[in-house]
Amino acid sequence: MTTSGLTRTCAVLAGAAMVVGTALPAQAATPAVVHHKTYENTLTAMHGEALAHASYHFYGEQAGYEHLPKVRALFMKTADTELHDHFTKEAQLIHFVRDDASNLRESIKGEIEEGTRMYPRFAREAREDKDDNAARLFTEIAADELTHARYFAKALYAIEHHRGEIPEGPTPDPVKVVAGKPKVHSARTLRNLETAMHGEAFANAKYTLYGEHAKARSPKLARLFERTAAVELTEHFAGEADLAGFVHRTKENLRKSIAGETYEATQMYPSFARTARAEHAYKAARLFTEIAGDEAAHARAFEHALKHLCHHHHHMARADS
């Protein structure tokens, strides 16, 4: 897209955001099923599960590149649990997924925010820091997010007015992520990449749920959400992860995963469960306790994989000596 074209698109979508925003559901409002702090904790947990899902997806890919099929399968299976079990149950707890029109309005608002404010700012800061590769990526993703907003706006019009067609949606252009060091030198750019990755991981998880919710009524809308979710993970998150040096060799990826799962199992989720019980949100407390047990099991599985990998490499080294 040309600069003038992007400017015109921003102006049109900014106007649309004002209209859409007035009709958005109160996403930040606390549902009756949980109290305020438990609601906030649930959203925090959902962001963590979304990031874990995205991270394990690419850790699994890296294990595949290292010819470690069992570790790859472990990462992929755990990624699936984080999204389709933990994230999904937490979303159900706070009624995160609404009707299709509300889901589309929320999506439009988020894409416009990223396309007109967050990513342009990140691009400007990257240029100031001489990280031109990141500036180009941020600018490209900003344009993509505005395209997503247009697709969602067309879909919203189609389902509300029963006119027009729901777009097919974007075509993912996957980015290969392999172990490596950061490809930027500015600490600010690296922080912005990490912030963006959190957002893309959450968007991927959110759109996956929106797509599953829409499937029974509108397969076309479900397809739009699914294709957009794929872009957020395999193109946007992947491109940012590549520049950030997010993925390491499998041993280090396992160590990072063990630390993260152990923290969630022993600190985060037990704390969230205690808060939920104090607020008499017993359903939430039970869910947090259940997930804490799952995360402990994930940590043990990763520890077993790391131990086996280190043992195998030790014997390989002795055989070569």
Side-chain angles (χ1 to χ4, degrees), residues 52-62 72 75-76 79 233-234:
H53 165 258
S55 301
Y56 295 160
H57 174 87
F58 290 103
Y59 292 173
E61 292 294 298
Q62 177 62 32
R72 182 186 187 280
F75 272 127
M76 293 305 189
L233 177 66
T234 66

Side-chain angles (χ1 to χ4, degrees), residues 96-137:
F96 181 80
V97 178
R98 311 294 179 88
D99 61 274
D100 292 335
S102 295
N103 293 338
L104 282 166
R105 292 190 184 97
E106 190 277 336
S107 302
I108 294 166
K109 183 179 180 181
E111 296 289 341
I112 292 174
E113 167 66 23
E114 290 188 350
T116 62
R117 297 182 63 183
M118 188 186 83
Y119 276 118
R121 177 170 64 84
F122 286 177
R124 183 180 66 254
E125 291 176 349
R127 284 191 295 271
E128 291 172 358
D129 295 338
K130 310 302 182 185
D131 282 319
D132 294 332
N133 51 357
R136 286 192 295 271
L137 178 62

Side-chain angles (χ1 to χ4, degrees), residues 14-25:
M18 295 177 64
V19 176
V20 171
T22 60
L24 276 171

Side-chain angles (χ1 to χ4, degrees), residues 68-287:
L68 301 169
K70 290 184 179 179
V71 181
R72 182 186 187 280
L74 173 61
F75 272 127
M76 293 305 189
K77 179 181 178 182
T78 310
D80 186 74
T81 298
E82 306 289 31
L83 175 59
H84 294 290
D85 186 353
H86 298 173
F87 184 93
T88 299
K89 287 179 179 177
E90 289 163 350
Q92 291 169 346
L93 183 69
I94 61 172
H95 303 313
F96 181 80
V97 178
R98 311 294 179 88
D99 61 274
D100 292 335
S102 295
N103 293 338
L104 282 166
R105 292 190 184 97
E106 190 277 336
S107 302
I108 294 166
K109 183 179 180 181
E111 296 289 341
I112 292 174
E113 167 66 23
E114 290 188 350
T116 62
R117 297 182 63 183
M118 188 186 83
Y119 276 118
R121 177 170 64 84
F122 286 177
R124 183 180 66 254
E125 291 176 349
R127 284 191 295 271
E128 291 172 358
D129 295 338
K130 310 302 182 185
D131 282 319
D132 294 332
N133 51 357
R136 286 192 295 271
L137 178 62
F138 289 145
T139 300
E140 176 186 318
I141 295 177
D144 286 350
E145 306 297 38
L146 295 177
T147 298
H148 297 171
R150 289 198 301 273
Y151 287 145
F152 290 147
K154 289 180 180 179
L156 179 61
Y157 182 86
I159 66 172
E160 287 195 323
H161 298 278
H162 306 288
R163 295 175 58 189
E165 292 289 329
I166 294 175
E168 183 74 8
T171 300
D173 184 15
V175 174
K176 185 175 181 178
V177 185
V178 295
K181 296 180 179 179
K183 299 176 182 176
V184 297
H185 59 266
S186 163
R188 178 169 66 168
T189 299
L190 188 58
R191 286 195 302 270
N192 287 343
L193 283 167
E194 291 169 350
T195 296
M197 287 167 61
H198 278 77
E200 298 297 337
F202 192 76
N204 167 260
K206 175 176 67 176
Y207 294 154
T208 298
L209 261 62
Y210 288 174
E212 291 173 353
H213 177 74
K215 194 167 293 184
R217 292 169 306 283
S218 176
K220 287 186 177 181
L221 179 57
R223 179 66 172 162
L224 171 59
F225 276 127
E226 289 165 0
R227 288 170 68 96
T228 309
V231 169
E232 307 288 28
L233 177 66
T234 66
E235 189 175 338
H236 295 175
F237 183 97
E240 292 159 352
D242 182 58
L243 287 186
F246 181 76
V247 174
H248 301 277
R249 299 285 291 181
T250 295
K251 280 187 182 180
E252 181 58 28
N253 292 335
L254 283 168
R255 291 188 182 101
K256 287 170 58 180
S257 303
I258 292 165
E261 296 288 344
T262 300
Y263 165 74
E264 291 189 349
T266 62
Q267 297 186 52
M268 189 186 83
Y269 276 116
S271 173
F272 288 177
R274 287 193 297 272
T275 298
R277 284 192 292 272
E279 293 184 333
H280 305 292
Y282 298 115
K283 184 176 180 180
R286 287 193 297 271
L287 177 60

